[in-house]
Amino acid sequence: GVPVERTDRETFALARLSSVLEDVRRELADGRGAIRLKGFPLNRLDREGTVMGYLGIGAHIGTIETHNKHGHLFGHVRNFDDTDANSLGRSYNTSVGSAFHADSTDYVGLFCLDEAKSGGESRIASSVTIYNRFMAERPDLIAPLMMPFYKDRYGEQRPGETPYYKCPVFAFVDGYFSSTGVSKGYYKTQGMPGVPPFTAAQEEAITEFQRLAGECSLEMPFRSGDIQFLNNYVVVHARRTYEDWSEPGRCRHLLRLWLNDRTPRPIHPDRKGRR
């Protein structure tokens, strides 16, 4: 009887699992920044019950944040073929692989409802390790990655805001490291009024970032019932291209959940507004 948007720790009480999820939150905030939960009971719940269970788990880790100006609580990560969703140019609405990037909130959850026929492996890499590799191999490219980069808002700007926002790839604030990765949203702003073109050093640094991320990455398949939570400040993620099943209505389908920690991490001022 509780409206879905009011799902939180109080309305979705968990007796035995709450302590496990507090461990998950600690591992995300202060540990490796990546967690995989397996074995969600998809066979015991209908789709509505599954969605509510996922929301309830997320609510014990952080506050549930909306995905867009429509107030959607989930992002549907699936191939929408020729629908309007695909026309927005968001790679998570296609079957094409994505580059290493980070999402806008503190944490991102990905819950596999249905698997692909083949491909679609999740790829994650430690942003801290990537930074350390830059320090060891190409320290000259760290400064370009700490310069302002301009990222597309994909039409989600408020009245009076520019269609892009600024954010460095690497940043240190009060001793806390964070990284955004480099998504195609940075490329989409090139040519927009007020956006300077990439410098030669920035272009080289972007290429090197993706190379190092690939070398540092861990790759694993998504199986039905798997839930992955990542810290967007210290872990970047990507996906392999995948092939769907030919049967109608049978396609790879993940639910994306955006969460913010109840104790905000010190982050770069340009990223605070996007958070």
Side-chain angles (χ1 to χ4, degrees), residues 98-101 120-125 210-211 213-215 217-220 222 228 230 235-240:
S98 63
F100 285 95
H101 65 282
E121 292 85 0
S122 172
R123 307 174 71 198
I124 64 173
Q210 291 296 337
R211 182 186 72 82
E215 290 184 2
S217 66
L218 171 69
E219 192 165 308
M220 50 192 162
F222 258 123
Q228 176 182 274
L230 304 174
V235 174
V236 288
H237 61 282
R239 180 193 69 214
R240 293 287 188 192

mmCIF file with all atom_site columns, all heavy atoms in Angstrom, residues 98-101 120-125 210-211 213-215 217-220 222 228 230 235-240:
data_model
loop_
_atom_site.group_PDB
_atom_site.id
_atom_site.type_symbol
_atom_site.label_atom_id
_atom_site.label_alt_id
_atom_site.label_comp_id
_atom_site.label_asym_id
_atom_site.label_entity_id
_atom_site.label_seq_id
_atom_site.pdbx_PDB_ins_code
_atom_site.Cartn_x
_atom_site.Cartn_y
_atom_site.Cartn_z
_atom_site.occupancy
_atom_site.B_iso_or_equiv
_atom_site.pdbx_formal_charge
_atom_site.auth_seq_id
_atom_site.auth_comp_id
_atom_site.auth_asym_id
_atom_site.auth_atom_id
_atom_site.pdbx_PDB_model_num
ATOM 1   N N   . SER A 1 98  ? 29.767 0.054   -24.774 1.00 0.00 ? 98  SER A N   1
ATOM 2   C CA  . SER A 1 98  ? 30.002 1.427   -24.318 1.00 0.00 ? 98  SER A CA  1
ATOM 3   C C   . SER A 1 98  ? 31.435 1.592   -23.838 1.00 0.00 ? 98  SER A C   1
ATOM 4   O O   . SER A 1 98  ? 32.114 0.617   -23.501 1.00 0.00 ? 98  SER A O   1
ATOM 5   C CB  . SER A 1 98  ? 29.036 1.785   -23.177 1.00 0.00 ? 98  SER A CB  1
ATOM 6   O OG  . SER A 1 98  ? 29.271 0.956   -22.043 1.00 0.00 ? 98  SER A OG  1
ATOM 7   N N   . ALA A 1 99  ? 31.897 2.851   -23.816 1.00 0.00 ? 99  ALA A N   1
ATOM 8   C CA  . ALA A 1 99  ? 33.222 3.176   -23.304 1.00 0.00 ? 99  ALA A CA  1
ATOM 9   C C   . ALA A 1 99  ? 33.178 3.274   -21.778 1.00 0.00 ? 99  ALA A C   1
ATOM 10  O O   . ALA A 1 99  ? 32.103 3.382   -21.171 1.00 0.00 ? 99  ALA A O   1
ATOM 11  C CB  . ALA A 1 99  ? 33.708 4.494   -23.904 1.00 0.00 ? 99  ALA A CB  1
ATOM 12  N N   . PHE A 1 100 ? 34.336 3.265   -21.153 1.00 0.00 ? 100 PHE A N   1
ATOM 13  C CA  . PHE A 1 100 ? 34.399 3.343   -19.692 1.00 0.00 ? 100 PHE A CA  1
ATOM 14  C C   . PHE A 1 100 ? 33.982 4.744   -19.226 1.00 0.00 ? 100 PHE A C   1
ATOM 15  O O   . PHE A 1 100 ? 34.505 5.748   -19.694 1.00 0.00 ? 100 PHE A O   1
ATOM 16  C CB  . PHE A 1 100 ? 35.812 3.033   -19.203 1.00 0.00 ? 100 PHE A CB  1
ATOM 17  C CG  . PHE A 1 100 ? 36.146 1.575   -19.282 1.00 0.00 ? 100 PHE A CG  1
ATOM 18  C CD1 . PHE A 1 100 ? 36.807 1.062   -20.382 1.00 0.00 ? 100 PHE A CD1 1
ATOM 19  C CD2 . PHE A 1 100 ? 35.776 0.710   -18.266 1.00 0.00 ? 100 PHE A CD2 1
ATOM 20  C CE1 . PHE A 1 100 ? 37.111 -0.292  -20.463 1.00 0.00 ? 100 PHE A CE1 1
ATOM 21  C CE2 . PHE A 1 100 ? 36.072 -0.639  -18.332 1.00 0.00 ? 100 PHE A CE2 1
ATOM 22  C CZ  . PHE A 1 100 ? 36.745 -1.142  -19.440 1.00 0.00 ? 100 PHE A CZ  1
ATOM 23  N N   . HIS A 1 101 ? 33.032 4.779   -18.295 1.00 0.00 ? 101 HIS A N   1
ATOM 24  C CA  . HIS A 1 101 ? 32.466 6.037   -17.837 1.00 0.00 ? 101 HIS A CA  1
ATOM 25  C C   . HIS A 1 101 ? 31.936 5.857   -16.418 1.00 0.00 ? 101 HIS A C   1
ATOM 26  O O   . HIS A 1 101 ? 31.953 4.755   -15.867 1.00 0.00 ? 101 HIS A O   1
ATOM 27  C CB  . HIS A 1 101 ? 31.320 6.478   -18.759 1.00 0.00 ? 101 HIS A CB  1
ATOM 28  C CG  . HIS A 1 101 ? 30.147 5.539   -18.726 1.00 0.00 ? 101 HIS A CG  1
ATOM 29  N ND1 . HIS A 1 101 ? 30.140 4.337   -19.392 1.00 0.00 ? 101 HIS A ND1 1
ATOM 30  C CD2 . HIS A 1 101 ? 28.944 5.622   -18.091 1.00 0.00 ? 101 HIS A CD2 1
ATOM 31  C CE1 . HIS A 1 101 ? 28.986 3.715   -19.184 1.00 0.00 ? 101 HIS A CE1 1
ATOM 32  N NE2 . HIS A 1 101 ? 28.247 4.468   -18.382 1.00 0.00 ? 101 HIS A NE2 1
ATOM 33  N N   . GLY A 1 120 ? 27.525 -8.762  -23.992 1.00 0.00 ? 120 GLY A N   1
ATOM 34  C CA  . GLY A 1 120 ? 26.962 -7.896  -22.954 1.00 0.00 ? 120 GLY A CA  1
ATOM 35  C C   . GLY A 1 120 ? 27.676 -7.976  -21.627 1.00 0.00 ? 120 GLY A C   1
ATOM 36  O O   . GLY A 1 120 ? 27.129 -7.548  -20.600 1.00 0.00 ? 120 GLY A O   1
ATOM 37  N N   . GLU A 1 121 ? 28.909 -8.493  -21.612 1.00 0.00 ? 121 GLU A N   1
ATOM 38  C CA  . GLU A 1 121 ? 29.638 -8.614  -20.345 1.00 0.00 ? 121 GLU A CA  1
ATOM 39  C C   . GLU A 1 121 ? 29.850 -7.244  -19.708 1.00 0.00 ? 121 GLU A C   1
ATOM 40  O O   . GLU A 1 121 ? 30.100 -6.256  -20.385 1.00 0.00 ? 121 GLU A O   1
ATOM 41  C CB  . GLU A 1 121 ? 30.998 -9.279  -20.568 1.00 0.00 ? 121 GLU A CB  1
ATOM 42  C CG  . GLU A 1 121 ? 30.916 -10.741 -20.965 1.00 0.00 ? 121 GLU A CG  1
ATOM 43  C CD  . GLU A 1 121 ? 30.733 -10.943 -22.451 1.00 0.00 ? 121 GLU A CD  1
ATOM 44  O OE1 . GLU A 1 121 ? 30.660 -9.929  -23.195 1.00 0.00 ? 121 GLU A OE1 1
ATOM 45  O OE2 . GLU A 1 121 ? 30.633 -12.108 -22.881 1.00 0.00 ? 121 GLU A OE2 1
ATOM 46  N N   . SER A 1 122 ? 29.743 -7.208  -18.397 1.00 0.00 ? 122 SER A N   1
ATOM 47  C CA  . SER A 1 122 ? 30.026 -5.997  -17.636 1.00 0.00 ? 122 SER A CA  1
ATOM 48  C C   . SER A 1 122 ? 31.532 -5.857  -17.490 1.00 0.00 ? 122 SER A C   1
ATOM 49  O O   . SER A 1 122 ? 32.247 -6.827  -17.210 1.00 0.00 ? 122 SER A O   1
ATOM 50  C CB  . SER A 1 122 ? 29.372 -6.069  -16.261 1.00 0.00 ? 122 SER A CB  1
ATOM 51  O OG  . SER A 1 122 ? 29.779 -4.989  -15.447 1.00 0.00 ? 122 SER A OG  1
ATOM 52  N N   . ARG A 1 123 ? 32.032 -4.629  -17.675 1.00 0.00 ? 123 ARG A N   1
ATOM 53  C CA  . ARG A 1 123 ? 33.456 -4.346  -17.531 1.00 0.00 ? 123 ARG A CA  1
ATOM 54  C C   . ARG A 1 123 ? 33.603 -3.237  -16.492 1.00 0.00 ? 123 ARG A C   1
ATOM 55  O O   . ARG A 1 123 ? 32.992 -2.173  -16.619 1.00 0.00 ? 123 ARG A O   1
ATOM 56  C CB  . ARG A 1 123 ? 34.052 -3.913  -18.869 1.00 0.00 ? 123 ARG A CB  1
ATOM 57  C CG  . ARG A 1 123 ? 33.776 -4.872  -20.000 1.00 0.00 ? 123 ARG A CG  1
ATOM 58  C CD  . ARG A 1 123 ? 34.264 -4.295  -21.325 1.00 0.00 ? 123 ARG A CD  1
ATOM 59  N NE  . ARG A 1 123 ? 35.730 -4.288  -21.398 1.00 0.00 ? 123 ARG A NE  1
ATOM 60  C CZ  . ARG A 1 123 ? 36.418 -3.541  -22.259 1.00 0.00 ? 123 ARG A CZ  1
ATOM 61  N NH1 . ARG A 1 123 ? 35.793 -2.706  -23.085 1.00 0.00 ? 123 ARG A NH1 1
ATOM 62  N NH2 . ARG A 1 123 ? 37.738 -3.606  -22.282 1.00 0.00 ? 123 ARG A NH2 1
ATOM 63  N N   . ILE A 1 124 ? 34.384 -3.478  -15.455 1.00 0.00 ? 124 ILE A N   1
ATOM 64  C CA  . ILE A 1 124 ? 34.601 -2.455  -14.434 1.00 0.00 ? 124 ILE A CA  1
ATOM 65  C C   . ILE A 1 124 ? 36.103 -2.292  -14.216 1.00 0.00 ? 124 ILE A C   1
ATOM 66  O O   . ILE A 1 124 ? 36.876 -3.239  -14.390 1.00 0.00 ? 124 ILE A O   1
ATOM 67  C CB  . ILE A 1 124 ? 33.897 -2.785  -13.106 1.00 0.00 ? 124 ILE A CB  1
ATOM 68  C CG1 . ILE A 1 124 ? 34.465 -4.062  -12.484 1.00 0.00 ? 124 ILE A CG1 1
ATOM 69  C CG2 . ILE A 1 124 ? 32.393 -2.904  -13.304 1.00 0.00 ? 124 ILE A CG2 1
ATOM 70  C CD1 . ILE A 1 124 ? 33.936 -4.350  -11.091 1.00 0.00 ? 124 ILE A CD1 1
ATOM 71  N N   . ALA A 1 125 ? 36.515 -1.073  -13.877 1.00 0.00 ? 125 ALA A N   1
ATOM 72  C CA  . ALA A 1 125 ? 37.918 -0.790  -13.627 1.00 0.00 ? 125 ALA A CA  1
ATOM 73  C C   . ALA A 1 125 ? 38.034 0.241   -12.514 1.00 0.00 ? 125 ALA A C   1
ATOM 74  O O   . ALA A 1 125 ? 37.203 1.156   -12.403 1.00 0.00 ? 125 ALA A O   1
ATOM 75  C CB  . ALA A 1 125 ? 38.606 -0.278  -14.895 1.00 0.00 ? 125 ALA A CB  1
ATOM 76  N N   . GLN A 1 210 ? 41.074 5.412   -21.953 1.00 0.00 ? 210 GLN A N   1
ATOM 77  C CA  . GLN A 1 210 ? 40.316 4.238   -22.370 1.00 0.00 ? 210 GLN A CA  1
ATOM 78  C C   . GLN A 1 210 ? 41.230 3.013   -22.501 1.00 0.00 ? 210 GLN A C   1
ATOM 79  O O   . GLN A 1 210 ? 40.832 1.891   -22.164 1.00 0.00 ? 210 GLN A O   1
ATOM 80  C CB  . GLN A 1 210 ? 39.595 4.526   -23.682 1.00 0.00 ? 210 GLN A CB  1
ATOM 81  C CG  . GLN A 1 210 ? 38.454 5.533   -23.561 1.00 0.00 ? 210 GLN A CG  1
ATOM 82  C CD  . GLN A 1 210 ? 37.327 5.037   -22.672 1.00 0.00 ? 210 GLN A CD  1
ATOM 83  O OE1 . GLN A 1 210 ? 37.138 3.841   -22.468 1.00 0.00 ? 210 GLN A OE1 1
ATOM 84  N NE2 . GLN A 1 210 ? 36.551 5.971   -22.121 1.00 0.00 ? 210 GLN A NE2 1
ATOM 85  N N   . ARG A 1 211 ? 42.457 3.225   -22.980 1.00 0.00 ? 211 ARG A N   1
ATOM 86  C CA  . ARG A 1 211 ? 43.387 2.098   -23.102 1.00 0.00 ? 211 ARG A CA  1
ATOM 87  C C   . ARG A 1 211 ? 43.724 1.519   -21.732 1.00 0.00 ? 211 ARG A C   1
ATOM 88  O O   . ARG A 1 211 ? 43.662 0.297   -21.522 1.00 0.00 ? 211 ARG A O   1
ATOM 89  C CB  . ARG A 1 211 ? 44.669 2.539   -23.806 1.00 0.00 ? 211 ARG A CB  1
ATOM 90  C CG  . ARG A 1 211 ? 45.671 1.395   -24.022 1.00 0.00 ? 211 ARG A CG  1
ATOM 91  C CD  . ARG A 1 211 ? 46.985 1.894   -24.585 1.00 0.00 ? 211 ARG A CD  1
ATOM 92  N NE  . ARG A 1 211 ? 47.774 2.631   -23.617 1.00 0.00 ? 211 ARG A NE  1
ATOM 93  C CZ  . ARG A 1 211 ? 48.560 2.047   -22.695 1.00 0.00 ? 211 ARG A CZ  1
ATOM 94  N NH1 . ARG A 1 211 ? 48.621 0.726   -22.603 1.00 0.00 ? 211 ARG A NH1 1
ATOM 95  N NH2 . ARG A 1 211 ? 49.258 2.783   -21.843 1.00 0.00 ? 211 ARG A NH2 1
ATOM 96  N N   . ALA A 1 213 ? 42.051 1.875   -18.933 1.00 0.00 ? 213 ALA A N   1
ATOM 97  C CA  . ALA A 1 213 ? 40.854 1.305   -18.309 1.00 0.00 ? 213 ALA A CA  1
ATOM 98  C C   . ALA A 1 213 ? 40.631 -0.124  -18.803 1.00 0.00 ? 213 ALA A C   1
ATOM 99  O O   . ALA A 1 213 ? 40.304 -1.031  -18.023 1.00 0.00 ? 213 ALA A O   1
ATOM 100 C CB  . ALA A 1 213 ? 39.639 2.172   -18.606 1.00 0.00 ? 213 ALA A CB  1
ATOM 101 N N   . GLY A 1 214 ? 40.812 -0.335  -20.106 1.00 0.00 ? 214 GLY A N   1
ATOM 102 C CA  . GLY A 1 214 ? 40.653 -1.676  -20.648 1.00 0.00 ? 214 GLY A CA  1
ATOM 103 C C   . GLY A 1 214 ? 41.671 -2.649  -20.081 1.00 0.00 ? 214 GLY A C   1
ATOM 104 O O   . GLY A 1 214 ? 41.339 -3.804  -19.756 1.00 0.00 ? 214 GLY A O   1
ATOM 105 N N   . GLU A 1 215 ? 42.914 -2.195  -19.928 1.00 0.00 ? 215 GLU A N   1
ATOM 106 C CA  . GLU A 1 215 ? 43.957 -3.058  -19.390 1.00 0.00 ? 215 GLU A CA  1
ATOM 107 C C   . GLU A 1 215 ? 43.713 -3.383  -17.915 1.00 0.00 ? 215 GLU A C   1
ATOM 108 O O   . GLU A 1 215 ? 44.081 -4.463  -17.444 1.00 0.00 ? 215 GLU A O   1
ATOM 109 C CB  . GLU A 1 215 ? 45.320 -2.399  -19.554 1.00 0.00 ? 215 GLU A CB  1
ATOM 110 C CG  . GLU A 1 215 ? 45.804 -2.329  -20.998 1.00 0.00 ? 215 GLU A CG  1
ATOM 111 C CD  . GLU A 1 215 ? 47.204 -1.748  -21.102 1.00 0.00 ? 215 GLU A CD  1
ATOM 112 O OE1 . GLU A 1 215 ? 47.808 -1.435  -20.047 1.00 0.00 ? 215 GLU A OE1 1
ATOM 113 O OE2 . GLU A 1 215 ? 47.697 -1.607  -22.241 1.00 0.00 ? 215 GLU A OE2 1
ATOM 114 N N   . SER A 1 217 ? 40.751 -3.570  -16.429 1.00 0.00 ? 217 SER A N   1
ATOM 115 C CA  . SER A 1 217 ? 39.353 -3.927  -16.172 1.00 0.00 ? 217 SER A CA  1
ATOM 116 C C   . SER A 1 217 ? 39.167 -5.389  -15.799 1.00 0.00 ? 217 SER A C   1
ATOM 117 O O   . SER A 1 217 ? 39.946 -6.261  -16.175 1.00 0.00 ? 217 SER A O   1
ATOM 118 C CB  . SER A 1 217 ? 38.494 -3.610  -17.398 1.00 0.00 ? 217 SER A CB  1
ATOM 119 O OG  . SER A 1 217 ? 38.853 -4.437  -18.491 1.00 0.00 ? 217 SER A OG  1
ATOM 120 N N   . LEU A 1 218 ? 38.103 -5.611  -15.065 1.00 0.00 ? 218 LEU A N   1
ATOM 121 C CA  . LEU A 1 218 ? 37.591 -6.944  -14.758 1.00 0.00 ? 218 LEU A CA  1
ATOM 122 C C   . LEU A 1 218 ? 36.326 -7.135  -15.591 1.00 0.00 ? 218 LEU A C   1
ATOM 123 O O   . LEU A 1 218 ? 35.488 -6.245  -15.654 1.00 0.00 ? 218 LEU A O   1
ATOM 124 C CB  . LEU A 1 218 ? 37.260 -7.055  -13.268 1.00 0.00 ? 218 LEU A CB  1
ATOM 125 C CG  . LEU A 1 218 ? 36.507 -8.308  -12.805 1.00 0.00 ? 218 LEU A CG  1
ATOM 126 C CD1 . LEU A 1 218 ? 37.404 -9.534  -12.909 1.00 0.00 ? 218 LEU A CD1 1
ATOM 127 C CD2 . LEU A 1 218 ? 36.013 -8.129  -11.373 1.00 0.00 ? 218 LEU A CD2 1
ATOM 128 N N   . GLU A 1 219 ? 36.202 -8.280  -16.223 1.00 0.00 ? 219 GLU A N   1
ATOM 129 C CA  . GLU A 1 219 ? 35.072 -8.533  -17.118 1.00 0.00 ? 219 GLU A CA  1
ATOM 130 C C   . GLU A 1 219 ? 34.270 -9.718  -16.605 1.00 0.00 ? 219 GLU A C   1
ATOM 131 O O   . GLU A 1 219 ? 34.837 -10.738 -16.225 1.00 0.00 ? 219 GLU A O   1
ATOM 132 C CB  . GLU A 1 219 ? 35.594 -8.818  -18.529 1.00 0.00 ? 219 GLU A CB  1
ATOM 133 C CG  . GLU A 1 219 ? 34.534 -8.820  -19.595 1.00 0.00 ? 219 GLU A CG  1
ATOM 134 C CD  . GLU A 1 219 ? 35.142 -8.744  -20.990 1.00 0.00 ? 219 GLU A CD  1
ATOM 135 O OE1 . GLU A 1 219 ? 35.968 -7.845  -21.236 1.00 0.00 ? 219 GLU A OE1 1
ATOM 136 O OE2 . GLU A 1 219 ? 34.794 -9.599  -21.819 1.00 0.00 ? 219 GLU A OE2 1
ATOM 137 N N   . MET A 1 220 ? 32.951 -9.586  -16.575 1.00 0.00 ? 220 MET A N   1
ATOM 138 C CA  . MET A 1 220 ? 32.116 -10.666 -16.063 1.00 0.00 ? 220 MET A CA  1
ATOM 139 C C   . MET A 1 220 ? 30.744 -10.605 -16.700 1.00 0.00 ? 220 MET A C   1
ATOM 140 O O   . MET A 1 220 ? 30.239 -9.530  -17.036 1.00 0.00 ? 220 MET A O   1
ATOM 141 C CB  . MET A 1 220 ? 31.990 -10.563 -14.540 1.00 0.00 ? 220 MET A CB  1
ATOM 142 C CG  . MET A 1 220 ? 31.591 -9.217  -14.018 1.00 0.00 ? 220 MET A CG  1
ATOM 143 S SD  . MET A 1 220 ? 31.818 -9.095  -12.225 1.00 0.00 ? 220 MET A SD  1
ATOM 144 C CE  . MET A 1 220 ? 31.795 -7.320  -12.015 1.00 0.00 ? 220 MET A CE  1
ATOM 145 N N   . PHE A 1 222 ? 26.612 -10.816 -17.023 1.00 0.00 ? 222 PHE A N   1
ATOM 146 C CA  . PHE A 1 222 ? 25.437 -10.540 -16.205 1.00 0.00 ? 222 PHE A CA  1
ATOM 147 C C   . PHE A 1 222 ? 24.478 -11.714 -16.348 1.00 0.00 ? 222 PHE A C   1
ATOM 148 O O   . PHE A 1 222 ? 24.035 -12.029 -17.453 1.00 0.00 ? 222 PHE A O   1
ATOM 149 C CB  . PHE A 1 222 ? 24.731 -9.253  -16.663 1.00 0.00 ? 222 PHE A CB  1
ATOM 150 C CG  . PHE A 1 222 ? 25.014 -8.061  -15.796 1.00 0.00 ? 222 PHE A CG  1
ATOM 151 C CD1 . PHE A 1 222 ? 25.563 -6.911  -16.335 1.00 0.00 ? 222 PHE A CD1 1
ATOM 152 C CD2 . PHE A 1 222 ? 24.708 -8.074  -14.454 1.00 0.00 ? 222 PHE A CD2 1
ATOM 153 C CE1 . PHE A 1 222 ? 25.813 -5.804  -15.549 1.00 0.00 ? 222 PHE A CE1 1
ATOM 154 C CE2 . PHE A 1 222 ? 24.958 -6.970  -13.645 1.00 0.00 ? 222 PHE A CE2 1
ATOM 155 C CZ  . PHE A 1 222 ? 25.512 -5.837  -14.200 1.00 0.00 ? 222 PHE A CZ  1
ATOM 156 N N   . GLN A 1 228 ? 24.581 -5.513  -9.490  1.00 0.00 ? 228 GLN A N   1
ATOM 157 C CA  . GLN A 1 228 ? 25.904 -4.900  -9.344  1.00 0.00 ? 228 GLN A CA  1
ATOM 158 C C   . GLN A 1 228 ? 25.753 -3.471  -8.863  1.00 0.00 ? 228 GLN A C   1
ATOM 159 O O   . GLN A 1 228 ? 24.978 -2.700  -9.428  1.00 0.00 ? 228 GLN A O   1
ATOM 160 C CB  . GLN A 1 228 ? 26.609 -4.913  -10.707 1.00 0.00 ? 228 GLN A CB  1
ATOM 161 C CG  . GLN A 1 228 ? 27.950 -4.217  -10.737 1.00 0.00 ? 228 GLN A CG  1
ATOM 162 C CD  . GLN A 1 228 ? 28.552 -4.248  -12.130 1.00 0.00 ? 228 GLN A CD  1
ATOM 163 O OE1 . GLN A 1 228 ? 29.217 -5.206  -12.509 1.00 0.00 ? 228 GLN A OE1 1
ATOM 164 N NE2 . GLN A 1 228 ? 28.304 -3.215  -12.920 1.00 0.00 ? 228 GLN A NE2 1
ATOM 165 N N   . LEU A 1 230 ? 28.085 0.013   -7.942  1.00 0.00 ? 230 LEU A N   1
ATOM 166 C CA  . LEU A 1 230 ? 29.391 0.620   -8.145  1.00 0.00 ? 230 LEU A CA  1
ATOM 167 C C   . LEU A 1 230 ? 29.419 2.028   -7.566  1.00 0.00 ? 230 LEU A C   1
ATOM 168 O O   . LEU A 1 230 ? 28.414 2.739   -7.593  1.00 0.00 ? 230 LEU A O   1
ATOM 169 C CB  . LEU A 1 230 ? 29.725 0.704   -9.643  1.00 0.00 ? 230 LEU A CB  1
ATOM 170 C CG  . LEU A 1 230 ? 29.694 -0.593  -10.448 1.00 0.00 ? 230 LEU A CG  1
ATOM 171 C CD1 . LEU A 1 230 ? 29.913 -0.290  -11.921 1.00 0.00 ? 230 LEU A CD1 1
ATOM 172 C CD2 . LEU A 1 230 ? 30.721 -1.584  -9.933  1.00 0.00 ? 230 LEU A CD2 1
ATOM 173 N N   . VAL A 1 235 ? 35.196 3.978   -9.457  1.00 0.00 ? 235 VAL A N   1
ATOM 174 C CA  . VAL A 1 235 ? 35.074 2.860   -10.398 1.00 0.00 ? 235 VAL A CA  1
ATOM 175 C C   . VAL A 1 235 ? 34.399 3.369   -11.671 1.00 0.00 ? 235 VAL A C   1
ATOM 176 O O   . VAL A 1 235 ? 33.408 4.110   -11.601 1.00 0.00 ? 235 VAL A O   1
ATOM 177 C CB  . VAL A 1 235 ? 34.229 1.704   -9.800  1.00 0.00 ? 235 VAL A CB  1
ATOM 178 C CG1 . VAL A 1 235 ? 33.993 0.606   -10.839 1.00 0.00 ? 235 VAL A CG1 1
ATOM 179 C CG2 . VAL A 1 235 ? 34.921 1.113   -8.584  1.00 0.00 ? 235 VAL A CG2 1
ATOM 180 N N   . VAL A 1 236 ? 34.943 2.994   -12.818 1.00 0.00 ? 236 VAL A N   1
ATOM 181 C CA  . VAL A 1 236 ? 34.292 3.260   -14.099 1.00 0.00 ? 236 VAL A CA  1
ATOM 182 C C   . VAL A 1 236 ? 33.781 1.935   -14.651 1.00 0.00 ? 236 VAL A C   1
ATOM 183 O O   . VAL A 1 236 ? 34.307 0.864   -14.322 1.00 0.00 ? 236 VAL A O   1
ATOM 184 C CB  . VAL A 1 236 ? 35.244 3.938   -15.108 1.00 0.00 ? 236 VAL A CB  1
ATOM 185 C CG1 . VAL A 1 236 ? 35.511 5.376   -14.706 1.00 0.00 ? 236 VAL A CG1 1
ATOM 186 C CG2 . VAL A 1 236 ? 36.536 3.157   -15.269 1.00 0.00 ? 236 VAL A CG2 1
ATOM 187 N N   . HIS A 1 237 ? 32.747 2.012   -15.480 1.00 0.00 ? 237 HIS A N   1
ATOM 188 C CA  . HIS A 1 237 ? 32.175 0.789   -16.019 1.00 0.00 ? 237 HIS A CA  1
ATOM 189 C C   . HIS A 1 237 ? 31.885 0.929   -17.506 1.00 0.00 ? 237 HIS A C   1
ATOM 190 O O   . HIS A 1 237 ? 31.748 2.036   -18.026 1.00 0.00 ? 237 HIS A O   1
ATOM 191 C CB  . HIS A 1 237 ? 30.896 0.399   -15.260 1.00 0.00 ? 237 HIS A CB  1
ATOM 192 C CG  . HIS A 1 237 ? 29.787 1.408   -15.317 1.00 0.00 ? 237 HIS A CG  1
ATOM 193 N ND1 . HIS A 1 237 ? 29.781 2.554   -14.553 1.00 0.00 ? 237 HIS A ND1 1
ATOM 194 C CD2 . HIS A 1 237 ? 28.637 1.448   -16.040 1.00 0.00 ? 237 HIS A CD2 1
ATOM 195 C CE1 . HIS A 1 237 ? 28.681 3.248   -14.787 1.00 0.00 ? 237 HIS A CE1 1
ATOM 196 N NE2 . HIS A 1 237 ? 27.976 2.602   -15.705 1.00 0.00 ? 237 HIS A NE2 1
ATOM 197 N N   . ALA A 1 238 ? 31.799 -0.201  -18.163 1.00 0.00 ? 238 ALA A N   1
ATOM 198 C CA  . ALA A 1 238 ? 31.509 -0.256  -19.589 1.00 0.00 ? 238 ALA A CA  1
ATOM 199 C C   . ALA A 1 238 ? 30.797 -1.582  -19.863 1.00 0.00 ? 238 ALA A C   1
ATOM 200 O O   . ALA A 1 238 ? 30.559 -2.375  -18.950 1.00 0.00 ? 238 ALA A O   1
ATOM 201 C CB  . ALA A 1 238 ? 32.795 -0.151  -20.410 1.00 0.00 ? 238 ALA A CB  1
ATOM 202 N N   . ARG A 1 239 ? 30.478 -1.804  -21.146 1.00 0.00 ? 239 ARG A N   1
ATOM 203 C CA  . ARG A 1 239 ? 29.753 -3.021  -21.515 1.00 0.00 ? 239 ARG A CA  1
ATOM 204 C C   . ARG A 1 239 ? 30.204 -3.474  -22.896 1.00 0.00 ? 239 ARG A C   1
ATOM 205 O O   . ARG A 1 239 ? 30.474 -2.663  -23.779 1.00 0.00 ? 239 ARG A O   1
ATOM 206 C CB  . ARG A 1 239 ? 28.244 -2.726  -21.549 1.00 0.00 ? 239 ARG A CB  1
ATOM 207 C CG  . ARG A 1 239 ? 27.383 -3.926  -21.922 1.00 0.00 ? 239 ARG A CG  1
ATOM 208 C CD  . ARG A 1 239 ? 25.970 -3.511  -22.256 1.00 0.00 ? 239 ARG A CD  1
ATOM 209 N NE  . ARG A 1 239 ? 25.876 -2.757  -23.493 1.00 0.00 ? 239 ARG A NE  1
ATOM 210 C CZ  . ARG A 1 239 ? 25.003 -1.780  -23.709 1.00 0.00 ? 239 ARG A CZ  1
ATOM 211 N NH1 . ARG A 1 239 ? 24.167 -1.418  -22.761 1.00 0.00 ? 239 ARG A NH1 1
ATOM 212 N NH2 . ARG A 1 239 ? 24.963 -1.163  -24.875 1.00 0.00 ? 239 ARG A NH2 1
ATOM 213 N N   . ARG A 1 240 ? 30.261 -4.773  -23.074 1.00 0.00 ? 240 ARG A N   1
ATOM 214 C CA  . ARG A 1 240 ? 30.524 -5.342  -24.380 1.00 0.00 ? 240 ARG A CA  1
ATOM 215 C C   . ARG A 1 240 ? 29.245 -5.312  -25.241 1.00 0.00 ? 240 ARG A C   1
ATOM 216 O O   . ARG A 1 240 ? 28.128 -5.343  -24.709 1.00 0.00 ? 240 ARG A O   1
ATOM 217 C CB  . ARG A 1 240 ? 30.987 -6.790  -24.258 1.00 0.00 ? 240 ARG A CB  1
ATOM 218 C CG  . ARG A 1 240 ? 32.345 -6.968  -23.588 1.00 0.00 ? 240 ARG A CG  1
ATOM 219 C CD  . ARG A 1 240 ? 33.453 -6.532  -24.495 1.00 0.00 ? 240 ARG A CD  1
ATOM 220 N NE  . ARG A 1 240 ? 34.769 -6.873  -23.940 1.00 0.00 ? 240 ARG A NE  1
ATOM 221 C CZ  . ARG A 1 240 ? 35.901 -6.404  -24.411 1.00 0.00 ? 240 ARG A CZ  1
ATOM 222 N NH1 . ARG A 1 240 ? 35.902 -5.561  -25.438 1.00 0.00 ? 240 ARG A NH1 1
ATOM 223 N NH2 . ARG A 1 240 ? 37.053 -6.752  -23.873 1.00 0.00 ? 240 ARG A NH2 1
#
